[in-house]
Amino acid sequence: MKITAQEEYGLRILIRLAACKDTNGMSIPQLSEAEGLTGTYVAKLTRILRMKGLIKSKPGNKGGYVLAKPAREIVINDALKALGGPMFNNTFCGSHAGTMKLCTNSVDCSARSLWQMIQYTLDQLLDKVTLHDLVNSEKESTKILYQMLQPDPAIMKSIMSIVGQ
């Protein structure tokens, strides 16, 4: 599993905007300088984030980009999927069939069950994390995320019933 540059830098831009105290937001040159990215790349990322409804632009000479809604309402899973899509989806198997038109394991595939469980697990965590949770020091964010990972007894019971334990 790899996190793309687009997902990493797009998330960093969102975090930077969430931490911004200026009501006019941050301009592309400001974001570019703050993140060490080219203006062209920042423009591409802000366009994607704007089109997905995560940020909006403030017009005017001093205008810039701001979050489209409060950081507490921006779910990290939505942001990452807007920037790159899910790790695994239903079209995955069709695009990895090898030299045949259909995957030789299209009917019964234990690897597919692994990818589905990984995606499910990622979604369970990333649906809990908001942009607000990441506008902290690394130490504080780690503490917040660790608390989210504490197993929920109801979820554990559900998972155990699925796997037949």
PDB file of all heavy atoms in Angstrom, residues 73-109:
ATOM      1  N   GLU A  73     -15.804  19.025  10.800  1.00  0.00           N
ATOM      2  CA  GLU A  73     -16.749  18.379   9.877  1.00  0.00           C
ATOM      3  C   GLU A  73     -16.075  17.774   8.650  1.00  0.00           C
ATOM      4  O   GLU A  73     -16.753  17.145   7.828  1.00  0.00           O
ATOM      5  CB  GLU A  73     -17.800  19.401   9.432  1.00  0.00           C
ATOM      6  CG  GLU A  73     -18.680  19.891  10.566  1.00  0.00           C
ATOM      7  CD  GLU A  73     -19.660  20.966  10.120  1.00  0.00           C
ATOM      8  OE1 GLU A  73     -19.949  21.060   8.908  1.00  0.00           O
ATOM      9  OE2 GLU A  73     -20.124  21.728  10.985  1.00  0.00           O
ATOM     10  N   ILE A  74     -14.778  17.943   8.520  1.00  0.00           N
ATOM     11  CA  ILE A  74     -14.057  17.379   7.372  1.00  0.00           C
ATOM     12  C   ILE A  74     -13.429  16.066   7.802  1.00  0.00           C
ATOM     13  O   ILE A  74     -12.483  16.031   8.594  1.00  0.00           O
ATOM     14  CB  ILE A  74     -13.007  18.363   6.822  1.00  0.00           C
ATOM     15  CG1 ILE A  74     -13.713  19.622   6.305  1.00  0.00           C
ATOM     16  CG2 ILE A  74     -12.170  17.696   5.723  1.00  0.00           C
ATOM     17  CD1 ILE A  74     -12.788  20.707   5.798  1.00  0.00           C
ATOM     18  N   VAL A  75     -13.971  14.983   7.289  1.00  0.00           N
ATOM     19  CA  VAL A  75     -13.522  13.632   7.629  1.00  0.00           C
ATOM     20  C   VAL A  75     -12.327  13.280   6.741  1.00  0.00           C
ATOM     21  O   VAL A  75     -12.370  13.453   5.521  1.00  0.00           O
ATOM     22  CB  VAL A  75     -14.682  12.621   7.436  1.00  0.00           C
ATOM     23  CG1 VAL A  75     -14.238  11.201   7.696  1.00  0.00           C
ATOM     24  CG2 VAL A  75     -15.858  13.008   8.331  1.00  0.00           C
ATOM     25  N   ILE A  76     -11.274  12.789   7.353  1.00  0.00           N
ATOM     26  CA  ILE A  76     -10.038  12.499   6.620  1.00  0.00           C
ATOM     27  C   ILE A  76     -10.257  11.462   5.525  1.00  0.00           C
ATOM     28  O   ILE A  76      -9.678  11.563   4.448  1.00  0.00           O
ATOM     29  CB  ILE A  76      -8.920  12.061   7.594  1.00  0.00           C
ATOM     30  CG1 ILE A  76      -8.568  13.215   8.538  1.00  0.00           C
ATOM     31  CG2 ILE A  76      -7.681  11.573   6.842  1.00  0.00           C
ATOM     32  CD1 ILE A  76      -8.152  14.512   7.855  1.00  0.00           C
ATOM     33  N   ASN A  77     -11.123  10.493   5.757  1.00  0.00           N
ATOM     34  CA  ASN A  77     -11.400   9.496   4.724  1.00  0.00           C
ATOM     35  C   ASN A  77     -11.945  10.169   3.458  1.00  0.00           C
ATOM     36  O   ASN A  77     -11.538   9.838   2.342  1.00  0.00           O
ATOM     37  CB  ASN A  77     -12.377   8.440   5.238  1.00  0.00           C
ATOM     38  CG  ASN A  77     -12.285   7.140   4.476  1.00  0.00           C
ATOM     39  OD1 ASN A  77     -11.342   6.893   3.726  1.00  0.00           O
ATOM     40  ND2 ASN A  77     -13.258   6.283   4.682  1.00  0.00           N
ATOM     41  N   ASP A  78     -12.841  11.133   3.631  1.00  0.00           N
ATOM     42  CA  ASP A  78     -13.389  11.857   2.481  1.00  0.00           C
ATOM     43  C   ASP A  78     -12.301  12.643   1.765  1.00  0.00           C
ATOM     44  O   ASP A  78     -12.247  12.671   0.529  1.00  0.00           O
ATOM     45  CB  ASP A  78     -14.502  12.814   2.927  1.00  0.00           C
ATOM     46  CG  ASP A  78     -15.703  12.091   3.513  1.00  0.00           C
ATOM     47  OD1 ASP A  78     -15.885  10.886   3.227  1.00  0.00           O
ATOM     48  OD2 ASP A  78     -16.458  12.736   4.275  1.00  0.00           O
ATOM     49  N   ALA A  79     -11.429  13.276   2.525  1.00  0.00           N
ATOM     50  CA  ALA A  79     -10.348  14.067   1.928  1.00  0.00           C
ATOM     51  C   ALA A  79      -9.395  13.173   1.138  1.00  0.00           C
ATOM     52  O   ALA A  79      -9.046  13.489  -0.009  1.00  0.00           O
ATOM     53  CB  ALA A  79      -9.588  14.821   3.020  1.00  0.00           C
ATOM     54  N   LEU A  80      -8.984  12.059   1.717  1.00  0.00           N
ATOM     55  CA  LEU A  80      -8.049  11.165   1.028  1.00  0.00           C
ATOM     56  C   LEU A  80      -8.682  10.541  -0.214  1.00  0.00           C
ATOM     57  O   LEU A  80      -8.026  10.396  -1.248  1.00  0.00           O
ATOM     58  CB  LEU A  80      -7.536  10.082   1.976  1.00  0.00           C
ATOM     59  CG  LEU A  80      -6.613  10.584   3.083  1.00  0.00           C
ATOM     60  CD1 LEU A  80      -6.240   9.453   4.029  1.00  0.00           C
ATOM     61  CD2 LEU A  80      -5.371  11.252   2.514  1.00  0.00           C
ATOM     62  N   LYS A  81      -9.947  10.188  -0.131  1.00  0.00           N
ATOM     63  CA  LYS A  81     -10.624   9.629  -1.302  1.00  0.00           C
ATOM     64  C   LYS A  81     -10.796  10.685  -2.389  1.00  0.00           C
ATOM     65  O   LYS A  81     -10.734  10.370  -3.580  1.00  0.00           O
ATOM     66  CB  LYS A  81     -11.955   8.988  -0.903  1.00  0.00           C
ATOM     67  CG  LYS A  81     -11.736   7.665  -0.181  1.00  0.00           C
ATOM     68  CD  LYS A  81     -13.018   6.999   0.242  1.00  0.00           C
ATOM     69  CE  LYS A  81     -12.701   5.671   0.940  1.00  0.00           C
ATOM     70  NZ  LYS A  81     -13.899   5.013   1.448  1.00  0.00           N
ATOM     71  N   ALA A  82     -10.994  11.941  -2.002  1.00  0.00           N
ATOM     72  CA  ALA A  82     -11.089  13.021  -2.989  1.00  0.00           C
ATOM     73  C   ALA A  82      -9.750  13.221  -3.704  1.00  0.00           C
ATOM     74  O   ALA A  82      -9.709  13.522  -4.897  1.00  0.00           O
ATOM     75  CB  ALA A  82     -11.513  14.323  -2.303  1.00  0.00           C
ATOM     76  N   LEU A  83      -8.669  13.011  -2.978  1.00  0.00           N
ATOM     77  CA  LEU A  83      -7.341  13.228  -3.537  1.00  0.00           C
ATOM     78  C   LEU A  83      -6.826  12.029  -4.325  1.00  0.00           C
ATOM     79  O   LEU A  83      -5.995  12.198  -5.217  1.00  0.00           O
ATOM     80  CB  LEU A  83      -6.350  13.568  -2.417  1.00  0.00           C
ATOM     81  CG  LEU A  83      -6.550  14.940  -1.795  1.00  0.00           C
ATOM     82  CD1 LEU A  83      -5.894  15.012  -0.416  1.00  0.00           C
ATOM     83  CD2 LEU A  83      -6.011  16.020  -2.723  1.00  0.00           C
ATOM     84  N   GLY A  84      -7.279  10.818  -3.994  1.00  0.00           N
ATOM     85  CA  GLY A  84      -6.720   9.669  -4.680  1.00  0.00           C
ATOM     86  C   GLY A  84      -7.627   8.468  -4.811  1.00  0.00           C
ATOM     87  O   GLY A  84      -7.300   7.517  -5.503  1.00  0.00           O
ATOM     88  N   GLY A  85      -8.753   8.456  -4.136  1.00  0.00           N
ATOM     89  CA  GLY A  85      -9.651   7.319  -4.207  1.00  0.00           C
ATOM     90  C   GLY A  85      -9.321   6.288  -3.149  1.00  0.00           C
ATOM     91  O   GLY A  85      -8.305   6.381  -2.467  1.00  0.00           O
ATOM     92  N   PRO A  86     -10.182   5.283  -3.003  1.00  0.00           N
ATOM     93  CA  PRO A  86      -9.934   4.243  -1.997  1.00  0.00           C
ATOM     94  C   PRO A  86      -8.778   3.348  -2.433  1.00  0.00           C
ATOM     95  O   PRO A  86      -8.429   3.285  -3.614  1.00  0.00           O
ATOM     96  CB  PRO A  86     -11.244   3.457  -1.970  1.00  0.00           C
ATOM     97  CG  PRO A  86     -11.815   3.649  -3.334  1.00  0.00           C
ATOM     98  CD  PRO A  86     -11.411   5.032  -3.754  1.00  0.00           C
ATOM     99  N   MET A  87      -8.180   2.670  -1.474  1.00  0.00           N
ATOM    100  CA  MET A  87      -7.110   1.732  -1.800  1.00  0.00           C
ATOM    101  C   MET A  87      -7.671   0.562  -2.626  1.00  0.00           C
ATOM    102  O   MET A  87      -7.077   0.145  -3.596  1.00  0.00           O
ATOM    103  CB  MET A  87      -6.475   1.192  -0.521  1.00  0.00           C
ATOM    104  CG  MET A  87      -5.278   0.312  -0.784  1.00  0.00           C
ATOM    105  SD  MET A  87      -4.715  -0.519   0.697  1.00  0.00           S
ATOM    106  CE  MET A  87      -5.726  -1.983   0.645  1.00  0.00           C
ATOM    107  N   PHE A  88      -8.835   0.056  -2.222  1.00  0.00           N
ATOM    108  CA  PHE A  88      -9.447  -1.085  -2.909  1.00  0.00           C
ATOM    109  C   PHE A  88     -10.905  -0.756  -3.190  1.00  0.00           C
ATOM    110  O   PHE A  88     -11.625  -0.301  -2.321  1.00  0.00           O
ATOM    111  CB  PHE A  88      -9.377  -2.335  -2.026  1.00  0.00           C
ATOM    112  CG  PHE A  88     -10.066  -3.533  -2.634  1.00  0.00           C
ATOM    113  CD1 PHE A  88      -9.397  -4.341  -3.533  1.00  0.00           C
ATOM    114  CD2 PHE A  88     -11.383  -3.839  -2.326  1.00  0.00           C
ATOM    115  CE1 PHE A  88     -10.036  -5.435  -4.110  1.00  0.00           C
ATOM    116  CE2 PHE A  88     -12.023  -4.929  -2.892  1.00  0.00           C
ATOM    117  CZ  PHE A  88     -11.346  -5.728  -3.792  1.00  0.00           C
ATOM    118  N   ASN A  89     -11.339  -1.007  -4.417  1.00  0.00           N
ATOM    119  CA  ASN A  89     -12.767  -0.885  -4.734  1.00  0.00           C
ATOM    120  C   ASN A  89     -13.156  -2.022  -5.677  1.00  0.00           C
ATOM    121  O   ASN A  89     -12.321  -2.834  -6.061  1.00  0.00           O
ATOM    122  CB  ASN A  89     -13.103   0.501  -5.315  1.00  0.00           C
ATOM    123  CG  ASN A  89     -12.423   0.761  -6.635  1.00  0.00           C
ATOM    124  OD1 ASN A  89     -12.115  -0.148  -7.398  1.00  0.00           O
ATOM    125  ND2 ASN A  89     -12.180   2.021  -6.929  1.00  0.00           N
ATOM    126  N   ASN A  90     -14.409  -2.084  -6.035  1.00  0.00           N
ATOM    127  CA  ASN A  90     -14.918  -3.205  -6.826  1.00  0.00           C
ATOM    128  C   ASN A  90     -14.302  -3.320  -8.213  1.00  0.00           C
ATOM    129  O   ASN A  90     -14.327  -4.386  -8.806  1.00  0.00           O
ATOM    130  CB  ASN A  90     -16.445  -3.116  -6.938  1.00  0.00           C
ATOM    131  CG  ASN A  90     -17.114  -3.323  -5.598  1.00  0.00           C
ATOM    132  OD1 ASN A  90     -16.546  -3.943  -4.705  1.00  0.00           O
ATOM    133  ND2 ASN A  90     -18.298  -2.782  -5.438  1.00  0.00           N
ATOM    134  N   THR A  91     -13.744  -2.256  -8.752  1.00  0.00           N
ATOM    135  CA  THR A  91     -13.135  -2.324 -10.086  1.00  0.00           C
ATOM    136  C   THR A  91     -11.695  -2.824 -10.036  1.00  0.00           C
ATOM    137  O   THR A  91     -11.103  -3.101 -11.070  1.00  0.00           O
ATOM    138  CB  THR A  91     -13.160  -0.939 -10.768  1.00  0.00           C
ATOM    139  OG1 THR A  91     -12.368  -0.035 -10.006  1.00  0.00           O
ATOM    140  CG2 THR A  91     -14.582  -0.414 -10.891  1.00  0.00           C
ATOM    141  N   PHE A  92     -11.142  -2.953  -8.841  1.00  0.00           N
ATOM    142  CA  PHE A  92      -9.747  -3.356  -8.681  1.00  0.00           C
ATOM    143  C   PHE A  92      -9.457  -4.703  -9.352  1.00  0.00           C
ATOM    144  O   PHE A  92      -8.512  -4.833 -10.110  1.00  0.00           O
ATOM    145  CB  PHE A  92      -9.391  -3.421  -7.191  1.00  0.00           C
ATOM    146  CG  PHE A  92      -7.961  -3.793  -6.915  1.00  0.00           C
ATOM    147  CD1 PHE A  92      -6.979  -2.826  -6.920  1.00  0.00           C
ATOM    148  CD2 PHE A  92      -7.603  -5.100  -6.656  1.00  0.00           C
ATOM    149  CE1 PHE A  92      -5.659  -3.148  -6.667  1.00  0.00           C
ATOM    150  CE2 PHE A  92      -6.290  -5.443  -6.404  1.00  0.00           C
ATOM    151  CZ  PHE A  92      -5.319  -4.456  -6.401  1.00  0.00           C
ATOM    152  N   CYS A  93     -10.283  -5.693  -9.065  1.00  0.00           N
ATOM    153  CA  CYS A  93     -10.032  -7.043  -9.589  1.00  0.00           C
ATOM    154  C   CYS A  93     -10.082  -7.075 -11.117  1.00  0.00           C
ATOM    155  O   CYS A  93      -9.272  -7.757 -11.752  1.00  0.00           O
ATOM    156  CB  CYS A  93     -11.037  -8.038  -9.001  1.00  0.00           C
ATOM    157  SG  CYS A  93     -10.808  -8.267  -7.223  1.00  0.00           S
ATOM    158  N   GLY A  94     -10.989  -6.323 -11.696  1.00  0.00           N
ATOM    159  CA  GLY A  94     -11.097  -6.292 -13.148  1.00  0.00           C
ATOM    160  C   GLY A  94      -9.879  -5.692 -13.824  1.00  0.00           C
ATOM    161  O   GLY A  94      -9.546  -6.052 -14.952  1.00  0.00           O
ATOM    162  N   SER A  95      -9.188  -4.808 -13.128  1.00  0.00           N
ATOM    163  CA  SER A  95      -8.007  -4.190 -13.728  1.00  0.00           C
ATOM    164  C   SER A  95      -6.723  -4.946 -13.409  1.00  0.00           C
ATOM    165  O   SER A  95      -5.646  -4.542 -13.814  1.00  0.00           O
ATOM    166  CB  SER A  95      -7.890  -2.726 -13.280  1.00  0.00           C
ATOM    167  OG  SER A  95      -7.762  -2.655 -11.879  1.00  0.00           O
ATOM    168  N   HIS A  96      -6.840  -6.063 -12.698  1.00  0.00           N
ATOM    169  CA  HIS A  96      -5.674  -6.884 -12.363  1.00  0.00           C
ATOM    170  C   HIS A  96      -5.932  -8.352 -12.721  1.00  0.00           C
ATOM    171  O   HIS A  96      -5.680  -9.250 -11.931  1.00  0.00           O
ATOM    172  CB  HIS A  96      -5.337  -6.737 -10.880  1.00  0.00           C
ATOM    173  CG  HIS A  96      -4.890  -5.370 -10.516  1.00  0.00           C
ATOM    174  ND1 HIS A  96      -5.766  -4.355 -10.226  1.00  0.00           N
ATOM    175  CD2 HIS A  96      -3.655  -4.832 -10.439  1.00  0.00           C
ATOM    176  CE1 HIS A  96      -5.089  -3.266  -9.965  1.00  0.00           C
ATOM    177  NE2 HIS A  96      -3.808  -3.515 -10.102  1.00  0.00           N
ATOM    178  N   ALA A  97      -6.432  -8.568 -13.925  1.00  0.00           N
ATOM    179  CA  ALA A  97      -6.797  -9.925 -14.342  1.00  0.00           C
ATOM    180  C   ALA A  97      -5.625 -10.704 -14.927  1.00  0.00           C
ATOM    181  O   ALA A  97      -5.758 -11.873 -15.261  1.00  0.00           O
ATOM    182  CB  ALA A  97      -7.926  -9.851 -15.373  1.00  0.00           C
ATOM    183  N   GLY A  98      -4.477 -10.080 -15.073  1.00  0.00           N
ATOM    184  CA  GLY A  98      -3.352 -10.750 -15.711  1.00  0.00           C
ATOM    185  C   GLY A  98      -3.538 -10.718 -17.215  1.00  0.00           C
ATOM    186  O   GLY A  98      -4.074  -9.756 -17.777  1.00  0.00           O
ATOM    187  N   THR A  99      -3.133 -11.787 -17.890  1.00  0.00           N
ATOM    188  CA  THR A  99      -3.215 -11.819 -19.345  1.00  0.00           C
ATOM    189  C   THR A  99      -4.585 -12.258 -19.847  1.00  0.00           C
ATOM    190  O   THR A  99      -4.830 -12.262 -21.042  1.00  0.00           O
ATOM    191  CB  THR A  99      -2.142 -12.773 -19.912  1.00  0.00           C
ATOM    192  OG1 THR A  99      -2.347 -14.081 -19.359  1.00  0.00           O
ATOM    193  CG2 THR A  99      -0.748 -12.282 -19.588  1.00  0.00           C
ATOM    194  N   MET A 100      -5.467 -12.622 -18.941  1.00  0.00           N
ATOM    195  CA  MET A 100      -6.796 -13.091 -19.340  1.00  0.00           C
ATOM    196  C   MET A 100      -7.812 -11.948 -19.226  1.00  0.00           C
ATOM    197  O   MET A 100      -7.556 -10.943 -18.578  1.00  0.00           O
ATOM    198  CB  MET A 100      -7.213 -14.253 -18.452  1.00  0.00           C
ATOM    199  CG  MET A 100      -6.195 -15.380 -18.427  1.00  0.00           C
ATOM    200  SD  MET A 100      -6.698 -16.633 -17.282  1.00  0.00           S
ATOM    201  CE  MET A 100      -6.997 -17.944 -18.412  1.00  0.00           C
ATOM    202  N   LYS A 101      -8.983 -12.139 -19.839  1.00  0.00           N
ATOM    203  CA  LYS A 101     -10.037 -11.124 -19.745  1.00  0.00           C
ATOM    204  C   LYS A 101     -10.621 -11.066 -18.340  1.00  0.00           C
ATOM    205  O   LYS A 101     -10.997 -10.013 -17.852  1.00  0.00           O
ATOM    206  CB  LYS A 101     -11.147 -11.400 -20.758  1.00  0.00           C
ATOM    207  CG  LYS A 101     -10.723 -11.088 -22.175  1.00  0.00           C
ATOM    208  CD  LYS A 101     -11.867 -11.221 -23.133  1.00  0.00           C
ATOM    209  CE  LYS A 101     -11.373 -10.879 -24.530  1.00  0.00           C
ATOM    210  NZ  LYS A 101     -12.438 -10.665 -25.455  1.00  0.00           N
ATOM    211  N   LEU A 102     -10.726 -12.212 -17.699  1.00  0.00           N
ATOM    212  CA  LEU A 102     -11.216 -12.289 -16.322  1.00  0.00           C
ATOM    213  C   LEU A 102     -10.129 -12.896 -15.453  1.00  0.00           C
ATOM    214  O   LEU A 102      -9.377 -13.755 -15.886  1.00  0.00           O
ATOM    215  CB  LEU A 102     -12.467 -13.170 -16.231  1.00  0.00           C
ATOM    216  CG  LEU A 102     -13.741 -12.618 -16.849  1.00  0.00           C
ATOM    217  CD1 LEU A 102     -14.847 -13.659 -16.789  1.00  0.00           C
ATOM    218  CD2 LEU A 102     -14.187 -11.354 -16.124  1.00  0.00           C
ATOM    219  N   CYS A 103     -10.063 -12.443 -14.209  1.00  0.00           N
ATOM    220  CA  CYS A 103      -9.113 -13.002 -13.256  1.00  0.00           C
ATOM    221  C   CYS A 103      -9.436 -14.482 -13.042  1.00  0.00           C
ATOM    222  O   CYS A 103     -10.613 -14.862 -12.946  1.00  0.00           O
ATOM    223  CB  CYS A 103      -9.205 -12.240 -11.940  1.00  0.00           C
ATOM    224  SG  CYS A 103      -8.152 -12.908 -10.641  1.00  0.00           S
ATOM    225  N   THR A 104      -8.431 -15.306 -12.947  1.00  0.00           N
ATOM    226  CA  THR A 104      -8.645 -16.734 -12.730  1.00  0.00           C
ATOM    227  C   THR A 104      -9.291 -17.005 -11.363  1.00  0.00           C
ATOM    228  O   THR A 104      -9.817 -18.080 -11.140  1.00  0.00           O
ATOM    229  CB  THR A 104      -7.315 -17.515 -12.825  1.00  0.00           C
ATOM    230  OG1 THR A 104      -6.396 -16.966 -11.872  1.00  0.00           O
ATOM    231  CG2 THR A 104      -6.730 -17.426 -14.219  1.00  0.00           C
ATOM    232  N   ASN A 105      -9.255 -16.024 -10.493  1.00  0.00           N
ATOM    233  CA  ASN A 105      -9.841 -16.164  -9.157  1.00  0.00           C
ATOM    234  C   ASN A 105     -11.086 -15.300  -8.986  1.00  0.00           C
ATOM    235  O   ASN A 105     -11.451 -14.948  -7.867  1.00  0.00           O
ATOM    236  CB  ASN A 105      -8.808 -15.773  -8.096  1.00  0.00           C
ATOM    237  CG  ASN A 105      -7.601 -16.663  -8.133  1.00  0.00           C
ATOM    238  OD1 ASN A 105      -7.716 -17.872  -8.002  1.00  0.00           O
ATOM    239  ND2 ASN A 105      -6.436 -16.076  -8.342  1.00  0.00           N
ATOM    240  N   SER A 106     -11.746 -14.957 -10.081  1.00  0.00           N
ATOM    241  CA  SER A 106     -12.858 -14.008  -9.992  1.00  0.00           C
ATOM    242  C   SER A 106     -14.045 -14.544  -9.190  1.00  0.00           C
ATOM    243  O   SER A 106     -14.819 -13.769  -8.654  1.00  0.00           O
ATOM    244  CB  SER A 106     -13.316 -13.567 -11.383  1.00  0.00           C
ATOM    245  OG  SER A 106     -13.780 -14.675 -12.117  1.00  0.00           O
ATOM    246  N   VAL A 107     -14.198 -15.842  -9.103  1.00  0.00           N
ATOM    247  CA  VAL A 107     -15.322 -16.410  -8.369  1.00  0.00           C
ATOM    248  C   VAL A 107     -14.977 -16.632  -6.900  1.00  0.00           C
ATOM    249  O   VAL A 107     -15.767 -16.319  -6.017  1.00  0.00           O
ATOM    250  CB  VAL A 107     -15.784 -17.744  -9.017  1.00  0.00           C
ATOM    251  CG1 VAL A 107     -16.855 -18.401  -8.181  1.00  0.00           C
ATOM    252  CG2 VAL A 107     -16.269 -17.489 -10.425  1.00  0.00           C
ATOM    253  N   ASP A 108     -13.795 -17.143  -6.624  1.00  0.00           N
ATOM    254  CA  ASP A 108     -13.403 -17.472  -5.251  1.00  0.00           C
ATOM    255  C   ASP A 108     -11.987 -16.961  -5.019  1.00  0.00           C
ATOM    256  O   ASP A 108     -11.021 -17.587  -5.437  1.00  0.00           O
ATOM    257  CB  ASP A 108     -13.473 -18.987  -5.040  1.00  0.00           C
ATOM    258  CG  ASP A 108     -13.167 -19.391  -3.605  1.00  0.00           C
ATOM    259  OD1 ASP A 108     -13.314 -18.547  -2.699  1.00  0.00           O
ATOM    260  OD2 ASP A 108     -12.765 -20.549  -3.396  1.00  0.00           O
ATOM    261  N   CYS A 109     -11.863 -15.818  -4.349  1.00  0.00           N
ATOM    262  CA  CYS A 109     -10.550 -15.195  -4.206  1.00  0.00           C
ATOM    263  C   CYS A 109     -10.270 -14.817  -2.756  1.00  0.00           C
ATOM    264  O   CYS A 109     -10.890 -13.906  -2.208  1.00  0.00           O
ATOM    265  CB  CYS A 109     -10.472 -13.945  -5.090  1.00  0.00           C
ATOM    266  SG  CYS A 109      -8.884 -13.127  -4.996  1.00  0.00           S
TER     267      CYS A 109
END
